[in-house]
């Protein structure tokens, strides 16, 4: 499809009337409605939303100056920032006739000025004149663009036919030519982002990429018996094969005309020198380092990669990873180290790019050439932005085509604005257009600041090559908070480097599936009987907590339910399970929100807590809460061993063993009490499980009252 063709002549022209007075809008609509399609906006925000939605499908804006939320001058400013003013004429309508207002409107790009009260004949004549002028200008732009596009297409077609002829004679797939063109563009784009050592413009990149398709044109002179030989070439045959470089450059030199054309010059360099090597051991001229034009260096790398990864008459295709490894190891010749870095950095996306529709990439390059050519015609108002808008609309249409009954949105960075589809706005209880969403109270109501920051980071972390992001967060939908997955496609400018311009996407309700996943994760991390954490999950959290808060004091307690065997023996195992659940519930009631409680196994529990000053009051309170209760006549008695990081350090196993040894000391003393691990215990148990010395808090020997519940 030609980029600039448009069905403008087959539809009525569309006028946007932006005025906060319904009466004024009605009067203007009555004056113009028979000849034009009318859109209305009651304030500047809605006017911007309409411009964002319809873009160049709006042929004229009648814009009031004094409006709520955003006045006419602010709308004009945004139209300038977005470039809309270049393609959409604006006639100001206002009772404000002060010269300063009129001058400011013209300076901001307004085409004309109509005063209120309206004169029907004046309004009609000025609207007709303006729309006719811009329609003729758009038609002229389209005609010029079509001619440029056709020239680009024909030139590209002839080059492709010629290069494919060589590939056909070579017994290779025509995909090789497209692959070389794609790889050349990819490597060049990455190279200019990586360094300014080679000052290449986007026009240079497109020129080199196009010329790369002629790199092997000289092979047209190589005998078929040599070029299609399935086995290894002899020395004589290889010397014949090498002549394709000089034959190709001679063909460019001997053209009857166009020898000074940039494409011919670049193609000659590539033809002659794409088999030179960085170390000077290539052919035909033995050039070394940057004596070799960067265009030939890039094509050489692209040629080697595609030759390795594609089947040939003399070999099968080599896998991508192996091919990259061979090139980096120097098995395929010597290359510019900077280009090898580029290969490494873009390696992951090469297979996908090779599998993608290379023809679409070529078409986009041709579209960019059209834009560059249009820029040279300064008398035309169309610019590359127009082509970007067309591409944006195509991308948006294809992205939304598969969606229905979903919350869909479009976000722009400038102006900062988010637009929802009608169904999505109703679902969220929002207006369809919200200005400055990051500071909007209505957006904050459905999505907290942390979620908004996370989504923003995800979008900015995307790239033009990988623009799609997925982000899960909680959103308030109606009166309920629900897990939602946002799938969005970031949009980027064509600047170097590219700038994030916005995003289009949808929000999918994944609450039910997320809840099921959370339930499965809880089952994996929690004890089925008591609902407490299991030992493995508790250990992970405790280690992370100690690493995150290295300056804090922590205590670990191991709790054993005394005489639990008698509960099972006398009342049965079901009763015993109830006792364990009861003790777990009492433990949860006794601890603080940041404390960690877990079931270690059997009738043993683990408690991990932070303390300041002395840990004894906290431990004593918890011990008393668990000991002063009973379950259906069965008295609860516990033994507890406690270890502190201030005494034994923050190694998990050491801390756990110390608490276990303190518990063992309690059991030996008759149960029903708690005890802290101390220096005396270290000596007692050193033969069993030695614990390295650590600085204490000076209170380990003051164990008064610790042996009594």
């Amino acid at each position: 499809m030609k980029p600039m063709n448009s069905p403008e002549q087959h539809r009525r022209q569309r006028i946007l009337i932006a005025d906060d007075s319904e009466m004024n809008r009605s009067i203007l609509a009555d004056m113009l409605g028979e000849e034009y399609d009318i859109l209305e906006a009651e304030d500047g925000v809605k006017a911007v939303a309409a411009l964002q939605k319809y873009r160049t499908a709006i042929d004229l804006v009648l814009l009031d100056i004094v409006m709520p939320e955003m006045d006419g001058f602010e709308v004009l400013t945004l139209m300038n920032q977005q470039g809309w003013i270049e393609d959409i004429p604006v006639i100001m309508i206002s009772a404000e006739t002060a010269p300063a207002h009129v001058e400011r409107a013209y300076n901001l790009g307004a085409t004309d000025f109509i005063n209120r009260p309206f004169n029907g004949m004046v309004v009609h004549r000025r609207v007709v004149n303006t729309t006719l002028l811009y329609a003729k200008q758009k038609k002229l732009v389209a005609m010029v663009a079509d001619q440029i596009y056709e020239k680009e297409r024909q030139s590209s077609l002839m080059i492709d036919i010629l290069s494919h002829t060589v590939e056909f004679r070579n017994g290779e797939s025509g995909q090789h030519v497209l692959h070389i063109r794609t790889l050349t563009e990819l490597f060049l784009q990455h190279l200019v982002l990586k360094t300014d050592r080679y000052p290449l413009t986007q026009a240079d990149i497109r020129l080199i990429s196009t010329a790369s398709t002629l790199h092997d044109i000289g092979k047209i002179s190589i005998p078929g018996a040599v070029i299609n030989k399935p086995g290894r070439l002899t020395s004589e045959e290889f010397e014949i094969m090498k002549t394709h470089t000089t034959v190709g450059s001679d063909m460019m030199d001997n053209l009857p005309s166009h020898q000074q054309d940039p494409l011919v010059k670049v193609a000659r360099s590539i033809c002659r020198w794409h088999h030179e090597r960085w170390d000077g051991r290539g052919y035909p001229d033995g050039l070394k380092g940057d004596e070799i034009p960067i265009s030939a260096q890039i094509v050489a790398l692209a040629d080697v990669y595609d030759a390795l990864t594609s089947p040939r008459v003399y070999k099968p295709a080599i896998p991508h990873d192996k091919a990259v490894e061979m090139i980096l190891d120097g098995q395929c010749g010597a290359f510019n180290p900077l280009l090898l870095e580029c290969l490494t950095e873009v390696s992951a996306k090469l297979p996908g790019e090779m599998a993608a529709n290379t023809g679409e990439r070529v078409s986009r390059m041709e579209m960019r050439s059209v834009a560059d050519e249009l820029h040279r015609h300064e008398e035309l108002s169309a610019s590359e932005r127009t082509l970007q808008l067309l591409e944006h609309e195509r991308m948006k249409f294809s992205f939304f085509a598969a969606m229905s009954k979903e919350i869909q949105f479009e976000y722009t960075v400038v102006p900062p604005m988010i637009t929802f589809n009608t169904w999505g706005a109703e679902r969220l209880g929002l207006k369809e257009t919200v200005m400055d969403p990051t500071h909007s109270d209505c957006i904050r109501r459905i999505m907290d600041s942390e979620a908004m920051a996370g989504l923003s980071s995800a979008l900015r972390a995307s790239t033009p090559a990988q623009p799609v992001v997925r982000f899960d967060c909680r959103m308030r939908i109606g009166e309920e908070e629900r897990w939602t997955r946002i799938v969005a496609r970031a949009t980027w400018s064509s600047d170097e480097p590219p700038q994030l311009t916005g995003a289009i996407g949808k929000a999918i309700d994944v609450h039910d599936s997320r809840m099921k996943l959370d339930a499965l994760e809880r089952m994996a991390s929690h004890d089925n009987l008591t609902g407490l954490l299991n030992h493995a999950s508790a250990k992970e959290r405790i280690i992370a907590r100690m690493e995150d808060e290295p300056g804090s004091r922590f205590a670990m307690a191991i709790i054993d339910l005394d005489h639990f065997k008698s509960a099972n023996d006398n009342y049965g195992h079901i009763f015993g399970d109830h006792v364990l659940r009861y003790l777990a519930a009492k433990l949860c009631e006794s601890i603080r929100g940041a404390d960690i409680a877990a079931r270690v196994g059997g009738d043993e529990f683990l408690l991990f807590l932070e303390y300041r000053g002395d840990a004894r009051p906290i431990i004593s309170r918890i011990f008393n809460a668990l000991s002063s209760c009973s379950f259906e006549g069965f008295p609860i008695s516990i033994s507890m061993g406690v270890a502190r990081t201030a005494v034994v350090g923050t190694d998990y196993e050491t801390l756990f063993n110390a608490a276990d040894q303190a518990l063992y000391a309690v059991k030996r003393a008759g149960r029903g009490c708690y005890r802290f691990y101390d220096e005396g215990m270290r000596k007692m148990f050193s033969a069993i499980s030695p614990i390295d010395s650590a600085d204490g808090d000076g209170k380990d020997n003051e164990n008064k009252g610790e042996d009594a519940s």
Side-chain angles (χ1 to χ4, degrees):
M1 180 181 294
K2 296 180 182 179
M4 295 300 294
N5 278 353
S6 172
E8 296 284 339
Q9 63 272 26
H10 300 306
R11 68 164 177 83
R12 297 214 308 175
Q13 291 180 301
R14 182 179 287 123
I15 296 176
L16 170 63
I17 303 172
D19 195 315
D20 61 327
S21 168
E22 185 176 1
M23 178 63 71
N24 291 337
R25 297 198 306 272
S26 178
I27 292 171
L28 290 170
D30 288 342
M31 290 178 179
L32 304 169
E34 291 186 5
E35 297 180 49
Y36 301 93
D37 288 337
I38 303 298
L39 296 174
E40 296 185 23
E42 63 191 35
D43 56 49
V45 171
K46 289 184 173 59
V48 171
L51 288 164
Q52 177 74 22
K53 181 177 181 181
Y54 294 100
R55 300 179 187 263
T56 53
I58 292 177
D59 299 283
L60 174 67
V61 178
L62 298 178
L63 182 62
D64 187 21
I65 292 179
V66 181
M67 293 185 293
E69 294 196 53
M70 181 182 288
D71 64 29
F73 292 132
E74 290 174 300
V75 173
L76 276 174
T77 300
L78 280 173
M79 290 184 70
N80 277 274
Q81 291 172 351
Q82 290 292 90
W84 296 335
I85 199 69
E86 296 176 16
D87 299 308
I88 306 173
V90 176
I91 297 178
M92 303 302 291
I93 49 174
S94 179
E96 296 285 347
T97 58
H101 285 84
V102 177
E103 182 181 358
R104 186 180 178 191
Y106 282 127
N107 288 339
L108 287 171
T111 304
D112 207 340
F113 206 99
I114 298 176
N115 296 325
R116 287 199 298 261
F118 302 124
N119 180 302
M121 183 189 70
V122 172
V123 170
H124 184 268
R125 189 68 264 164
R126 290 185 175 180
V127 166
V128 169
N129 288 344
T130 302
T131 54
L132 280 176
L133 175 63
Y134 272 74
K136 288 179 180 179
Q137 191 164 315
K138 287 181 181 180
K139 185 176 181 180
L140 176 61
V141 169
M143 290 172 61
V144 173
D146 282 349
Q147 292 172 8
I148 297 169
Y149 178 81
E150 187 63 22
K151 183 187 75 172
E152 291 288 333
R153 192 185 69 82
Q154 294 287 354
S155 299
S156 180
L157 178 61
M158 292 306 296
I159 292 171
D160 283 349
I161 290 173
L162 188 58
S163 54
H164 277 268
T165 300
V166 176
E167 297 304 321
F168 177 77
R169 188 172 178 278
N170 197 15
E172 297 175 356
S173 165
Q175 287 296 310
H176 176 63
V177 173
L178 295 177
H179 286 173
I180 294 300
R181 190 170 187 173
T182 297
L183 289 165
T184 298
E185 185 196 3
L186 281 172
F187 291 149
L188 285 170
Q189 293 286 7
H190 193 77
L191 180 66
V192 298
L193 290 177
K194 184 178 181 65
T195 179
D196 57 3
R197 179 169 156 186
Y198 304 99
L200 299 170
T201 66
Q202 288 300 306
D204 294 331
I205 291 174
R206 289 191 292 278
L207 184 66
I208 295 170
S209 300
T210 301
S212 70
T213 61
L214 296 170
H215 70 289
D216 276 343
I217 193 69
K219 285 185 178 179
I220 202 167
S221 69
I222 306 299
V226 174
I227 204 168
N228 290 318
K229 183 177 179 180
R232 187 180 183 86
L233 298 179
T234 65
S235 298
E236 293 78 10
E237 290 168 337
F238 185 57
E239 288 302 318
I240 294 172
M241 180 66 80
K242 287 164 62 175
T243 63
H244 80 276
T245 57
T246 53
V247 170
S249 66
D250 290 344
M251 291 173 67
M252 298 297 114
D253 288 338
N254 294 328
L255 285 173
S257 59
H258 307 295
Q259 289 186 7
Q260 299 305 311
D261 189 277
L263 177 65
V264 175
K265 289 183 176 180
V266 174
R268 182 197 183 279
S269 298
I270 292 173
C271 288
R272 187 173 187 90
W273 293 312
H274 72 280
H275 281 290
E276 299 288 357
R277 290 174 38 147
W278 186 254
D279 58 6
R281 298 172 61 188
Y283 63 86
D285 299 319
L287 300 185
K288 184 177 181 180
D290 274 328
E291 293 174 355
I292 310 166
I294 189 60
S295 57
Q297 292 187 47
I298 288 281
V299 172
L301 180 60
D303 195 25
V304 167
Y305 174 82
D306 190 60
L308 290 173
T309 56
S310 302
R312 293 289 187 264
V313 293
Y314 53 86
K315 72 164 190 67
I318 295 174
H320 161 76
D321 291 339
K322 180 64 176 176
V324 172
E325 180 184 339
M326 291 172 65
I327 295 171
L328 296 177
D329 286 348
Q331 299 178 41
C332 307
F335 294 95
N336 185 337
L338 199 56
L339 298 192
L340 294 180
E341 291 179 20
C342 291
L343 173 64
T344 302
E345 289 161 8
V346 303
S347 171
K349 65 180 182 181
L350 288 182
E353 291 289 346
M354 292 297 94
N357 187 340
T358 314
E360 286 188 5
R361 176 183 292 275
V362 172
S363 177
R364 286 198 296 272
M365 291 175 63
E366 291 168 352
M367 296 264 288
R368 298 278 301 211
S369 296
V370 173
D372 287 346
E373 185 68 21
L374 283 172
H375 274 306
R376 299 189 189 103
H377 294 263
E378 295 182 357
E379 72 276 10
L380 303 177
S381 65
S383 65
E384 184 178 2
R385 185 189 64 81
T386 307
L387 299 177
Q388 290 175 343
L389 291 175
L390 291 171
E391 174 65 13
H392 178 85
E393 290 299 316
R394 182 201 63 76
M395 177 187 67
K396 185 168 70 171
F397 175 80
S398 62
F399 190 79
F400 283 146
M403 301 181 188
S404 61
K405 290 295 182 182
E406 291 176 333
I407 299 171
Q408 303 169 13
F409 64 88
E410 178 174 3
Y411 168 70
T412 56
V413 175
V414 180
M417 178 174 68
I418 187 167
T419 304
F420 296 96
N421 63 325
T422 302
W423 190 90
E426 291 176 354
R427 176 82 168 131
L428 295 173
L430 299 173
K431 295 180 179 179
E432 290 189 21
T433 301
V434 179
M435 299 298 297
D436 197 10
T438 55
H439 299 97
S440 168
D441 291 338
C442 61
I443 295 295
R444 285 201 190 101
R445 179 180 59 80
I446 64 169
M447 192 176 188
D448 62 32
S449 56
E450 183 178 350
M452 284 194 286
L455 177 57
S456 176
S457 297
L459 288 172
R460 295 186 182 281
S462 69
T463 65
Q466 295 180 320
V468 178
V469 301
R470 291 170 176 81
F471 180 76
D472 288 3
C473 65
R474 284 183 173 272
M475 288 178 60
R476 178 167 291 280
I477 301 176
E479 297 301 319
E480 182 182 6
E481 271 200 353
R482 297 185 66 83
W483 278 104
T484 305
R485 174 163 298 153
I486 296 173
V487 183
R489 191 188 199 286
T491 54
W492 295 83
S493 71
S494 59
D495 302 331
E496 294 298 338
Q499 300 295 317
L500 181 70
T501 60
I504 54 177
K506 61 178 180 177
I508 309 165
D509 190 323
V510 295
H511 188 77
D512 294 339
S513 59
R514 181 64 180 257
M515 290 297 99
K516 290 178 182 178
L517 180 62
D518 289 349
L520 290 173
E521 291 178 350
R522 181 175 176 80
M523 288 175 63
S525 61
H526 286 69
D527 173 58
N528 289 335
L529 179 64
T530 63
L532 298 177
L533 290 172
N534 57 36
H535 190 189
S537 296
K539 179 179 177 180
E540 288 182 6
R541 297 191 186 189
I542 291 169
I543 291 174
R545 181 88 176 273
M546 289 191 292
E547 289 177 350
D548 291 342
E549 304 175 37
S552 299
R553 288 188 170 190
F554 298 102
M556 178 184 288
I558 299 179
I559 303 166
D560 183 73
L561 182 57
D562 298 332
H563 314 300
F564 179 63
K565 186 175 183 299
S566 66
N568 283 330
D569 292 343
N570 296 328
Y571 301 100
H573 288 284
I574 294 178
F575 180 83
D577 289 346
H578 286 305
V579 172
L580 291 174
R581 290 195 194 96
Y582 176 77
L583 183 61
K586 295 294 291 184
L587 179 59
C588 289
E589 292 174 3
S590 305
I591 62 178
R592 302 162 300 181
D595 299 340
I596 297 173
R599 184 185 179 198
V600 178
D603 59 351
E604 286 193 348
F605 298 84
L606 179 147
L607 174 62
F608 180 83
L609 53 84
E610 181 183 359
Y611 69 92
R612 292 183 176 84
D614 191 354
R616 287 173 180 75
I618 302 174
I619 295 298
S620 178
R621 177 182 59 78
I622 294 173
F623 179 85
N624 291 332
L626 298 181
S627 299
S628 59
C629 58
S630 64
F631 177 77
E632 295 185 3
F634 180 79
I636 302 297
S637 173
I638 65 167
S639 298
M640 183 188 298
V642 185
R644 290 161 289 183
T645 56
V647 177
V648 300
T650 57
D651 177 73
Y652 180 86
E653 299 299 336
T654 302
L655 188 64
F656 184 89
N657 287 337
D660 193 47
Q661 290 176 15
L663 175 63
Y664 182 71
V666 171
K667 290 182 177 180
R668 290 185 62 193
R671 303 177 184 272
C673 59
Y674 67 89
R675 184 164 183 179
F676 283 78
Y677 179 86
D678 57 22
E679 188 63 32
M681 251 177 265
R682 182 193 305 274
K683 296 174 182 177
M684 182 189 308
F685 291 102
S686 60
I688 302 173
S689 178
I691 299 175
D692 296 335
S693 176
D695 293 334
D697 57 7
K699 298 182 180 180
D700 294 307
N701 296 320
E702 299 176 10
N703 295 323
K704 298 177 182 179
E706 290 182 355
D707 293 333
S709 62

